[in-house]
Amino acid sequence: MSSTFGKLFTLSTWGESHGGSVGVVVDGCPAGLPLCEADVQKELDRRKPGQSKITTQRAESDTVSFFSGVYQGKTLGTPIAMNVVNQDQRPGAYDEMRDKFRPSHADYSYQMKYGLRAVEGGGRSSARETIGRVAAGAIARKILTLATPIRIVAYVESIHGIRMPELSSAPNEEAVEANAVRCPDADYAQQMYDLIDAVRKDGDSVGGVIRCHVSGCPAGLGEPIFDRIEADLGKAMLSIPAAKGFTVGSGFEGTLLKGSEHNDLFEIRDGIIRTKSNYAGGTLGGITSGEELTFRIAFKPTATILKEQSTVDLSGNPASVIGKGRHDPCVLPRAVPIVEAMTSLVLVDHWMRQHAQNRCFEFQQ
Amino acid sequence: MSSTFGKLFTLSTWGESHGGSVGVVVDGCPAGLPLCEADVQKELDRRKPGQSKITTQRAESDTVSFFSGVYQGKTLGTPIAMNVVNQDQRPGAYDEMRDKFRPSHADYSYQMKYGLRAVEGGGRSSARETIGRVAAGAIARKILTLATPIRIVAYVESIHGIRMPELSSAPNEEAVEANAVRCPDADYAQQMYDLIDAVRKDGDSVGGVIRCHVSGCPAGLGEPIFDRIEADLGKAMLSIPAAKGFTVGSGFEGTLLKGSEHNDLFEIRDGIIRTKSNYAGGTLGGITSGEELTFRIAFKPTATILKEQSTVDLSGNPASVIGKGRHDPCVLPRAVPIVEAMTSLVLVDHWMRQHAQNRCFEFQQ
Amino acid sequence: MSSTFGKLFTLSTWGESHGGSVGVVVDGCPAGLPLCEADVQKELDRRKPGQSKITTQRAESDTVSFFSGVYQGKTLGTPIAMNVVNQDQRPGAYDEMRDKFRPSHADYSYQMKYGLRAVEGGGRSSARETIGRVAAGAIARKILTLATPIRIVAYVESIHGIRMPELSSAPNEEAVEANAVRCPDADYAQQMYDLIDAVRKDGDSVGGVIRCHVSGCPAGLGEPIFDRIEADLGKAMLSIPAAKGFTVGSGFEGTLLKGSEHNDLFEIRDGIIRTKSNYAGGTLGGITSGEELTFRIAFKPTATILKEQSTVDLSGNPASVIGKGRHDPCVLPRAVPIVEAMTSLVLVDHWMRQHAQNRCFEFQQ
Amino acid sequence: MSSTFGKLFTLSTWGESHGGSVGVVVDGCPAGLPLCEADVQKELDRRKPGQSKITTQRAESDTVSFFSGVYQGKTLGTPIAMNVVNQDQRPGAYDEMRDKFRPSHADYSYQMKYGLRAVEGGGRSSARETIGRVAAGAIARKILTLATPIRIVAYVESIHGIRMPELSSAPNEEAVEANAVRCPDADYAQQMYDLIDAVRKDGDSVGGVIRCHVSGCPAGLGEPIFDRIEADLGKAMLSIPAAKGFTVGSGFEGTLLKGSEHNDLFEIRDGIIRTKSNYAGGTLGGITSGEELTFRIAFKPTATILKEQSTVDLSGNPASVIGKGRHDPCVLPRAVPIVEAMTSLVLVDHWMRQHAQNRCFEFQQ
């Protein structure tokens, strides 16, 4: 239940880590959008394993196939099914986990919820599921790029204790992609890289913070009361594996300011209504204000570590486990495209909702 | 669009701050639940204005009336409509705001979204809308209390720079209700009270952090992939006015730990499977683990302050505004029951979803 | 569960026949629509009891009050709650039904589903619930009238064995409203009236068929695969109390034709693409074709009759019941505005959906 | 938009007739259900082309592959993706249709809705889409069979003017499958077969009526107000290609009876509460009564005929078309498993909903 996301532009994902495939079907995509597999592959390549020494070495090309919904290079307006075959399957490698619950993984909670689970690679709880989201997000992003002024950039802001200086607006996309960490500040990126690599050699893991900026977003997106833009973005981000926190604008640090310091005063700038500061992070009352939307997501350190840990087994006996071979010592570099994908999906959906309610009848225009 | 929340146990709220009434209709409530207006009024009284010197003095009794769905003291299984008439309306008091956008309020974004807005008291963007949520949450809480082991306690953990020591498990509900701030630590509560009162006298405002604990929650609630328990709780919390951040378990601070420190090791305790630590905050892979669910919400300082602020008017000319009379210098004490209400609603809904999928056919029992 | 209808323009109804009130909250209504209570009252008056000798004499003014969502004569884009207080309550009148199941009423099935029921007037299963739909439908109809070319007319086509000649296109609205039966053919209307009156005097009841025409509907509305326009209209109609069948276009009679007879050939007429015949009833593949949408709904004879009938009681003992006093010997005249309301709701929703998907991005325009 | 069906047990289908594949992802399936591809293939084989001389000769094995959601022979509770590759593609065969609108097909309405369309075989509007439904329905049916007393049988009741005598209860499944028409009365089946074959030779087509019986259904399923069991079944049936009408119980013929004739009187039979007649068709107030659910669906004659027909082309010029080669002269025999699949899906969903609301809390049991 609930592998579907979105109200008007919806995606439904499927797939276990070591099952036949992972994939997604996108429904509600507008007709007439130019689209080919390369548009999607480009984003999948940013997410795929083995991009550098500091990501998992699982050998997956993550090649996408379209099954439907695209005809002669354009979307039909019908569901677009996209599939990625799982290639590097090592069934035997997970035998030990059949009976033991890996700490801070979902083995135990899946077992309790469903009464059984796909053991290999965590099954459905594997981050491989996010392939479907990135594929769907690539379509959403193409819509935004072609047909709206909205642009999205996410990047790694901190890894463990290393935190780059706060940016006042979105960095250049190229600067983010220029290094394996996806931190736009080259110096900090190097420090982060070195830390991740050291942690990797030690068989341990680290977490950090990803920040995302949405520029060019017009005022008026977001649906009070419950589907506020920050509520829907928050849900989207908190649905990403390993996410433990979400803040918009000033977040928890804003609680240290007084109202007189935190309020964003309106002014006329460049001929339009703007705010002098942006503690709000681009949203007022759940609706975009026209200022840059900006939010952060905390990702915990990867649960898989190559160290022995105590646990219990299915029968409730003490046991120990130790992670094997291929893992990400830090999920953040590969999570950046996932954050961008989910952001794209939320914004396309809200764009459609706002237009449906407030732009589609004659008396509104 | 989107004043409805929940998949199986749903609520739809209505109402502007100074319109005829605010209210809610709850659909999907199980039949046969003993319920009377006093069950709901009790929670509304915890939210209502004028409870102490540090909350707004708007004179509202917030008396609830049931219109449907309850018969001879029991729920019928049909929609329960609950209404609260707006009493203390001062239409003239808001004339100045008709043309000016109050900083960090939703005046501007509503105007841009809808092309018009109810000026008085912020209209739909007023926190009065949460009356409907608290009323619906009171029903959800009664279900949890009568028919499940789940118990929910929220409290103010910090106000501005004053932060009480971290609790390792849920505090006593009476300790929370013992003071006007709703902080279970009496000493810190007093410091917080004094700060809020000082800020109030200065015409300024402060924010802070509310923490919530859910105990007694069985393993297995939460629906991957998108409706993870933390994603749905996060959305619920981020839909509350003034909320700017949400974390579960270790949150942003967890990013400063390594995997070997952050992983929660399984053990057998009191004869059942438990974890030694609870950095996860009670959720693994989006599904409850049986440990206490615990999360925090950041609330910004109230936007309304009794100081002059610069802004612009509808025509785009520079202007200034100054807050009038009745406002909350700090929303957190009254937000505690809202947090509990939203938490109750999410948990009842997920309980129903888990049972529908995984408990209702013969081969599953 | 499921007192909500619509995806973008949604209504949630509440209310038992003899509870405090019946009402509805409409969410997703576009902002800026001129709207006042009289717009809604006009439609409620067409549905209300006591309009003539052949409808129930229950004394209800069915006066609507707006609680929210309208400001200075225009919709705000926020939920519009509308309430109608139940006035003519006769609690004692239903004591006998407390223990007995009335034949062909919902007493038994509600009891089995919920374990209890509001006895008086059938509680939630009463057709009084449709007040909320008619109120919401009045708003939808106003949107269609003001901002689209779509026009809707329903009427009684047959009562029991009396069937007016088939119309080739929508009749004049005034002709429908000219008589108490709401049949646009005055002669047949009189025959129907006389039959209903005779049946009424005999304490019996009759059913019949309502037909509805939607003209001015552009091609392109309807969402394959599942939300085809005829599927959504069918669901809407079959959700009306006493409805037992729905057909679009040629319906069951079309099964007696061959493909070569039934196919609607395209031609150019008045400069645009039209079909020579309209056996399809205005829908091809679930999407409107631009031809008149036309469909029929069968309503069974009213279950309440003033004759003694055998039944069983709550304890499973044989019993007998006899209808009391106020009832509709035929629901069709009052069902006409309900059919129109549900049709309006479906069309506004689909208009919004079509525009959201296929008209709101730049490359589509 | 809207290729998803169901609230708790949901399916999302994809696929164009001559695209890469048609398929479906099922979400919300209970965990632990024994399931293999053969369970699904069995139903697909009943739907596939080429079963007899009177169905289309398109050469498709319609072999299903599972991509996810099943592990070691049991469902995981996660999404089950099922795929069927399109094999017999003849792209050139449809060149003529690129510019012309086939009468009573969806060519024109798709073109108007989306601005483009997949020409070959009707693209998304092809009945090949129903493969996904039959696959999903096979899972739903297995749940019903294994874990509930509910049994479903559909069959062809009439073809064109040939109508078998009305049955008072569900026929034997074997009798239905004993002939190519799927009519349980062998004599009528032969007459129908001969008629279809004659029509086929003439290049023409016929329609008819399918009737469905649901036995063993407990009282209490169905969700008033809008998701009545007959409303949800009606929508499901009206979403099947070529369906033009739906009736439950007495349907349109019931309008010829008086209330005193039509009411189903309660009695005690075999120790339980039953009704003497079943004009209601097993539903009272939208909720199952425990009597057999029974309903009918009208299917129009197939639009494709091998006769020349006049039409217009994309530029609005007069043109003519003639159907080519492979088509079903009558869709009903192959529609029987589709009707059963959709019925299974509706009933599993409603079973889950009823249990979620009214069986899952302690005070209800």
Side-chain angles (χ1 to χ4, degrees):
Chain A
M1 202 177 292
S2 104
S3 286
T4 294
F5 186 81
K7 187 175 175 79
L8 291 177
F9 188 93
T10 62
L11 58 153
S12 299
T13 74
W14 67 78
E16 279 71 48
S17 176
H18 290 241
S21 74
V22 290
V24 65
V25 55
V26 173
D27 198 8
C29 182
L33 177 76
L35 189 73
C36 63
E37 281 153 344
D39 292 321
V40 172
Q41 194 62 51
K42 185 176 59 180
E43 294 294 329
L44 289 180
D45 288 348
R46 296 177 67 213
R47 197 217 76 99
K48 80 175 175 189
Q51 297 175 62
S52 77
K53 209 167 48 167
I54 58 167
T55 60
T56 173
Q57 299 304 307
R58 179 169 168 169
E60 293 285 358
S61 68
D62 287 353
T63 306
V64 71
S65 302
F66 284 5
F67 284 171
S68 64
V70 179
Y71 182 75
Q72 299 180 340
K74 291 199 171 175
T75 56
L76 285 164
T78 61
I80 304 167
M82 299 183 280
N83 197 51
V84 169
V85 174
N86 293 320
Q87 297 176 310
D88 188 2
Q89 303 184 22
R90 305 187 184 172
Y94 294 91
D95 279 352
E96 191 194 6
M97 297 177 192
R98 203 164 298 281
D99 296 320
K100 298 175 185 171
F101 301 120
R102 292 171 297 163
S104 293
H105 274 280
D107 302 344
Y108 176 68
S109 56
Y110 268 66
Q111 187 73 37
M112 294 301 284
K113 182 174 190 67
Y114 299 112
L116 81 171
R117 70 188 202 280
V119 170
E120 293 81 4
R124 182 71 177 150
S125 72
S126 163
R128 262 191 94 62
E129 176 274 336
T130 59
I131 284 176
R133 311 192 198 190
V134 171
I139 301 176
R141 169 169 267 191
K142 186 149 192 196
I143 295 169
L144 293 176
T145 303
L146 277 189
T148 82
I150 296 172
R151 299 296 175 269
I152 296 163
V153 184
Y155 55 93
V156 173
E157 190 182 51
S158 76
I159 295 289
H160 200 244
I162 305 173
R163 181 175 183 145
M164 65 171 278
E166 181 162 345
L167 297 180
S168 60
S169 66
N172 194 293
E173 214 177 316
E174 287 72 40
V176 178
E177 293 300 307
N179 59 69
V181 179
R182 293 205 166 90
C183 169
D185 182 309
D187 289 344
Y188 280 89
Q190 188 59 49
Q191 291 177 49
M192 292 173 182
Y193 186 94
D194 294 344
L195 174 64
I196 298 172
D197 199 38
V199 161
R200 178 185 69 81
K201 286 174 182 154
D202 187 37
D204 213 333
S205 66
V206 282
V209 174
I210 288 178
R211 190 176 183 198
C212 186
H213 297 253
V214 182
S215 54
C217 185
L221 303 192
E223 298 292 328
I225 295 300
F226 295 110
D227 298 353
R228 288 168 195 248
I229 198 76
E230 65 266 37
D232 273 5
L233 285 169
K235 173 165 177 166
M237 299 306 143
L238 291 159
S239 77
I240 301 174
K244 301 302 284 184
F246 170 87
T247 58
V248 62
S250 62
F252 283 83
E253 290 170 30
T255 67
L256 302 176
L257 298 177
K258 293 189 178 169
S260 55
E261 300 162 318
H262 191 272
N263 282 354
D264 299 312
L265 304 183
F266 288 107
E267 64 177 357
I268 301 293
R269 205 156 77 230
D270 305 329
I272 55 170
I273 296 179
R274 300 289 306 273
T275 59
K276 293 184 197 208
S277 52
N278 186 16
Y279 287 113
T283 167
L284 292 172
I287 303 170
T288 56
S289 66
E291 297 298 318
E292 214 172 66
L293 262 175
T294 169
F295 50 91
R296 290 180 170 90
I297 312 103
F299 288 91
K300 70 171 185 178
T302 318
T304 301
I305 56 174
L306 308 189
K307 294 174 182 293
E308 188 166 7
Q309 299 174 92
S310 66
T311 187
V312 297
D313 67 16
L314 266 173
S315 319
N317 297 317
S320 77
V321 285
I322 179 162
K324 293 268 173 51
R326 308 172 305 175
H327 83 297
D328 282 288
C330 178
V331 300
L332 281 86
R334 293 176 61 205
V336 165
I338 305 171
V339 165
E340 292 175 348
M342 295 306 298
T343 305
S344 302
L345 292 162
V346 169
L347 287 166
V348 165
D349 199 65
H350 275 279
W351 181 284
M352 290 166 75
R353 293 170 74 173
Q354 163 65 350
H355 282 71
Q357 187 183 4
N358 293 314
R359 301 285 184 271
C360 86
F361 292 106
E362 275 180 27
F363 62 84
Q364 301 173 310
Q365 288 150 359
Chain B
M1 203 177 295
S2 105
S3 286
T4 293
F5 186 81
K7 188 177 173 76
L8 291 177
F9 187 94
T10 62
L11 59 154
S12 298
T13 73
W14 68 76
E16 279 72 48
S17 177
H18 290 243
S21 73
V22 290
V24 65
V25 54
V26 173
D27 197 7
C29 182
L33 177 77
L35 188 74
C36 63
E37 281 154 343
D39 293 320
V40 172
Q41 194 61 52
K42 183 175 58 180
E43 293 294 329
L44 289 180
D45 288 348
R46 296 177 65 214
R47 197 216 76 97
K48 79 176 176 186
Q51 296 175 59
S52 76
K53 209 168 50 168
I54 60 167
T55 61
T56 173
Q57 299 304 306
R58 180 170 166 167
E60 292 286 358
S61 67
D62 288 353
T63 306
V64 70
S65 302
F66 284 4
F67 283 172
S68 64
V70 180
Y71 182 74
Q72 300 181 339
K74 291 199 171 175
T75 56
L76 285 165
T78 61
I80 305 167
M82 299 183 279
N83 197 51
V84 169
V85 173
N86 292 320
Q87 297 176 310
D88 188 2
Q89 303 184 22
R90 306 187 183 173
Y94 294 91
D95 279 353
E96 191 193 5
M97 296 176 195
R98 204 164 296 281
D99 296 321
K100 296 177 187 172
F101 300 120
R102 291 170 298 161
S104 293
H105 274 280
D107 301 344
Y108 176 68
S109 55
Y110 268 65
Q111 186 75 36
M112 294 301 285
K113 182 175 189 67
Y114 299 113
L116 80 173
R117 69 187 203 279
V119 170
E120 293 82 4
R124 182 71 177 149
S125 72
S126 162
R128 262 190 92 63
E129 176 274 336
T130 59
I131 283 177
R133 311 192 198 191
V134 171
I139 300 177
R141 170 169 264 191
K142 185 150 193 195
I143 294 170
L144 293 176
T145 303
L146 277 189
T148 82
I150 296 172
R151 298 297 175 270
I152 295 163
V153 184
Y155 55 93
V156 173
E157 191 183 50
S158 76
I159 295 290
H160 202 245
I162 304 172
R163 182 176 182 144
M164 66 171 278
E166 181 162 344
L167 297 180
S168 60
S169 66
N172 194 295
E173 214 177 317
E174 286 72 41
V176 178
E177 294 300 307
N179 58 69
V181 180
R182 293 205 166 90
C183 169
D185 182 308
D187 289 344
Y188 280 88
Q190 188 60 49
Q191 291 177 49
M192 292 173 182
Y193 187 94
D194 294 344
L195 174 64
I196 299 171
D197 199 40
V199 163
R200 179 184 69 81
K201 287 175 180 151
D202 188 38
D204 212 332
S205 66
V206 282
V209 174
I210 288 178
R211 191 176 182 198
C212 185
H213 297 252
V214 182
S215 55
C217 184
L221 303 192
E223 298 291 328
I225 297 300
F226 295 110
D227 298 353
R228 290 169 194 247
I229 197 76
E230 64 266 35
D232 274 6
L233 285 168
K235 173 165 177 165
M237 298 307 143
L238 290 159
S239 76
I240 301 174
K244 301 302 284 183
F246 171 86
T247 58
V248 62
S250 62
F252 283 83
E253 289 170 31
T255 69
L256 302 176
L257 299 177
K258 292 190 178 166
S260 55
E261 300 163 320
H262 190 272
N263 282 354
D264 300 312
L265 305 183
F266 288 107
E267 65 178 356
I268 301 293
R269 206 157 75 231
D270 305 330
I272 55 170
I273 295 180
R274 300 288 306 274
T275 58
K276 294 185 195 206
S277 52
N278 187 16
Y279 288 113
T283 167
L284 292 172
I287 303 171
T288 56
S289 66
E291 298 298 318
E292 216 173 64
L293 263 174
T294 169
F295 51 89
R296 290 181 170 87
I297 311 102
F299 288 91
K300 68 171 186 177
T302 318
T304 301
I305 55 174
L306 308 188
K307 294 173 182 292
E308 188 166 8
Q309 300 173 92
S310 67
T311 186
V312 298
D313 65 19
L314 267 174
S315 320
N317 297 316
S320 76
V321 285
I322 180 161
K324 294 267 173 52
R326 308 172 305 175
H327 83 298
D328 282 287
C330 178
V331 299
L332 281 86
R334 293 175 61 206
V336 165
I338 304 171
V339 166
E340 291 174 348
M342 294 305 297
T343 305
S344 302
L345 291 163
V346 169
L347 287 167
V348 164
D349 198 64
H350 274 279
W351 180 284
M352 290 167 75
R353 293 170 73 172
Q354 162 65 350
H355 281 71
Q357 186 184 7
N358 293 314
R359 302 284 184 271
C360 86
F361 292 106
E362 273 180 26
F363 63 83
Q364 302 172 310
Q365 287 149 1
Chain C
M1 203 177 293
S2 104
S3 285
T4 294
F5 186 81
K7 187 175 174 77
L8 291 176
F9 188 93
T10 61
L11 58 153
S12 298
T13 74
W14 68 77
E16 277 73 47
S17 176
H18 291 243
S21 74
V22 290
V24 66
V25 55
V26 173
D27 197 9
C29 182
L33 176 76
L35 188 74
C36 63
E37 282 154 342
D39 293 320
V40 172
Q41 194 62 51
K42 183 177 59 178
E43 293 294 329
L44 289 180
D45 287 349
R46 296 177 67 214
R47 198 216 75 98
K48 80 175 177 189
Q51 297 174 59
S52 76
K53 208 169 48 169
I54 60 167
T55 61
T56 173
Q57 300 303 308
R58 180 170 167 168
E60 293 285 358
S61 68
D62 288 351
T63 306
V64 70
S65 302
F66 284 4
F67 284 171
S68 64
V70 180
Y71 182 75
Q72 300 181 340
K74 290 200 171 175
T75 57
L76 284 165
T78 61
I80 305 167
M82 298 184 281
N83 197 51
V84 169
V85 174
N86 292 320
Q87 296 177 311
D88 188 2
Q89 303 184 23
R90 305 186 184 173
Y94 293 91
D95 279 353
E96 191 194 6
M97 296 176 195
R98 202 164 297 281
D99 296 321
K100 297 176 186 170
F101 301 120
R102 291 171 298 162
S104 294
H105 275 280
D107 302 344
Y108 176 68
S109 56
Y110 268 67
Q111 185 75 36
M112 293 302 284
K113 183 175 188 68
Y114 299 112
L116 79 172
R117 70 187 200 279
V119 170
E120 292 81 3
R124 181 74 177 147
S125 73
S126 163
R128 263 191 90 64
E129 176 275 335
T130 60
I131 284 176
R133 312 192 198 191
V134 171
I139 300 177
R141 170 170 266 192
K142 185 152 192 194
I143 295 170
L144 294 176
T145 303
L146 278 189
T148 82
I150 296 172
R151 298 297 175 268
I152 296 163
V153 184
Y155 56 93
V156 174
E157 189 182 49
S158 76
I159 296 290
H160 201 246
I162 305 172
R163 180 174 183 146
M164 65 172 278
E166 181 163 342
L167 298 179
S168 60
S169 65
N172 195 294
E173 214 176 318
E174 286 71 42
V176 178
E177 294 301 307
N179 58 70
V181 179
R182 293 204 166 90
C183 169
D185 182 309
D187 289 344
Y188 279 88
Q190 187 61 47
Q191 291 177 49
M192 292 172 182
Y193 187 95
D194 293 345
L195 174 65
I196 299 172
D197 198 39
V199 162
R200 178 184 70 80
K201 286 174 181 153
D202 187 38
D204 212 333
S205 66
V206 282
V209 174
I210 288 178
R211 191 175 182 199
C212 186
H213 296 252
V214 181
S215 55
C217 185
L221 304 192
E223 299 291 329
I225 297 301
F226 295 109
D227 298 353
R228 290 169 192 246
I229 197 76
E230 64 267 36
D232 274 6
L233 285 169
K235 173 165 177 165
M237 298 306 143
L238 291 159
S239 77
I240 301 174
K244 302 301 284 183
F246 170 87
T247 58
V248 62
S250 63
F252 283 83
E253 289 169 31
T255 68
L256 302 176
L257 299 176
K258 292 190 179 168
S260 56
E261 300 162 318
H262 190 272
N263 282 353
D264 299 312
L265 305 182
F266 289 107
E267 64 177 357
I268 301 293
R269 206 157 75 229
D270 304 328
I272 56 170
I273 296 179
R274 300 289 305 272
T275 58
K276 294 184 195 205
S277 52
N278 186 17
Y279 287 113
T283 167
L284 292 172
I287 303 170
T288 56
S289 66
E291 296 300 318
E292 215 172 67
L293 262 174
T294 168
F295 50 89
R296 290 181 170 89
I297 311 102
F299 288 91
K300 68 172 185 177
T302 318
T304 301
I305 56 174
L306 308 188
K307 293 174 181 291
E308 187 164 9
Q309 299 174 91
S310 67
T311 187
V312 298
D313 66 17
L314 267 173
S315 319
N317 297 316
S320 76
V321 285
I322 180 162
K324 295 268 176 52
R326 310 174 302 178
H327 82 299
D328 282 288
C330 178
V331 300
L332 281 87
R334 292 177 60 206
V336 165
I338 304 172
V339 165
E340 291 175 348
M342 294 305 297
T343 305
S344 302
L345 291 162
V346 169
L347 287 166
V348 165
D349 199 64
H350 275 279
W351 180 284
M352 290 166 75
R353 293 171 73 173
Q354 163 65 351
H355 281 72
Q357 187 184 6
N358 293 314
R359 300 286 184 270
C360 85
F361 293 106
E362 274 179 28
F363 63 85
Q364 301 173 309
Q365 289 151 358
Chain D
M1 206 177 290
S2 106
S3 286
T4 293
F5 186 81
K7 187 176 174 78
L8 291 177
F9 187 94
T10 62
L11 59 153
S12 298
T13 73
W14 68 78
E16 278 72 47
S17 176
H18 290 242
S21 73
V22 290
V24 66
V25 54
V26 173
D27 198 7
C29 182
L33 176 76
L35 188 74
C36 63
E37 282 154 344
D39 292 321
V40 171
Q41 194 62 52
K42 185 175 58 181
E43 294 294 329
L44 290 180
D45 287 348
R46 296 175 67 212
R47 197 216 75 98
K48 79 176 175 187
Q51 297 175 59
S52 77
K53 209 167 49 167
I54 59 166
T55 61
T56 173
Q57 299 302 307
R58 177 167 167 168
E60 293 284 359
S61 68
D62 288 353
T63 307
V64 71
S65 301
F66 285 4
F67 284 171
S68 65
V70 179
Y71 182 74
Q72 300 181 340
K74 291 199 171 174
T75 57
L76 285 164
T78 61
I80 304 168
M82 298 183 280
N83 198 50
V84 169
V85 173
N86 292 320
Q87 297 176 310
D88 188 3
Q89 303 184 21
R90 306 186 184 172
Y94 293 91
D95 279 352
E96 191 194 5
M97 297 175 193
R98 203 165 297 282
D99 296 321
K100 297 176 185 171
F101 300 120
R102 291 171 298 163
S104 293
H105 274 280
D107 302 343
Y108 175 68
S109 55
Y110 268 66
Q111 186 74 37
M112 294 301 285
K113 181 176 189 67
Y114 299 113
L116 81 172
R117 70 188 203 278
V119 171
E120 293 81 5
R124 181 72 176 150
S125 73
S126 164
R128 262 191 92 63
E129 176 273 336
T130 60
I131 284 176
R133 312 193 200 189
V134 171
I139 300 177
R141 170 170 265 191
K142 186 151 191 193
I143 294 170
L144 294 176
T145 303
L146 277 188
T148 81
I150 296 172
R151 298 296 175 269
I152 296 163
V153 184
Y155 56 92
V156 174
E157 190 182 50
S158 77
I159 295 288
H160 201 246
I162 305 173
R163 181 174 183 147
M164 65 171 279
E166 180 162 342
L167 297 180
S168 60
S169 66
N172 194 293
E173 214 176 317
E174 286 72 41
V176 178
E177 294 301 305
N179 58 70
V181 179
R182 292 202 168 93
C183 168
D185 183 308
D187 289 344
Y188 280 88
Q190 188 60 47
Q191 292 178 50
M192 292 172 181
Y193 186 94
D194 294 344
L195 174 65
I196 298 172
D197 198 39
V199 162
R200 177 185 69 81
K201 286 175 182 153
D202 187 38
D204 213 332
S205 67
V206 283
V209 174
I210 288 178
R211 190 175 183 200
C212 186
H213 297 253
V214 182
S215 55
C217 185
L221 304 191
E223 298 292 328
I225 295 301
F226 296 109
D227 298 354
R228 290 170 193 245
I229 197 76
E230 65 265 37
D232 273 5
L233 285 168
K235 172 164 177 167
M237 299 306 142
L238 291 159
S239 77
I240 301 174
K244 301 301 285 183
F246 171 87
T247 58
V248 62
S250 62
F252 284 82
E253 290 169 30
T255 67
L256 302 176
L257 299 176
K258 293 190 178 168
S260 55
E261 300 162 319
H262 191 271
N263 283 354
D264 300 311
L265 305 183
F266 289 106
E267 65 177 357
I268 301 294
R269 206 156 76 230
D270 305 328
I272 55 170
I273 295 179
R274 300 290 305 273
T275 59
K276 294 184 196 208
S277 52
N278 186 17
Y279 288 113
T283 167
L284 292 172
I287 303 170
T288 56
S289 67
E291 297 299 317
E292 216 173 65
L293 263 174
T294 169
F295 50 91
R296 290 181 170 88
I297 311 102
F299 288 92
K300 69 172 185 177
T302 318
T304 301
I305 56 174
L306 308 188
K307 294 173 181 294
E308 188 165 7
Q309 299 174 93
S310 66
T311 186
V312 298
D313 65 18
L314 267 173
S315 318
N317 296 316
S320 76
V321 286
I322 179 162
K324 293 267 175 53
R326 309 173 303 177
H327 83 297
D328 282 288
C330 179
V331 300
L332 281 87
R334 294 175 61 205
V336 165
I338 303 172
V339 165
E340 291 175 348
M342 294 306 297
T343 305
S344 302
L345 290 163
V346 169
L347 287 166
V348 165
D349 199 66
H350 274 280
W351 181 283
M352 290 167 74
R353 293 170 73 172
Q354 163 65 351
H355 282 72
Q357 187 183 5
N358 293 314
R359 301 286 184 271
C360 87
F361 293 107
E362 274 180 28
F363 63 84
Q364 301 172 310
Q365 288 152 357

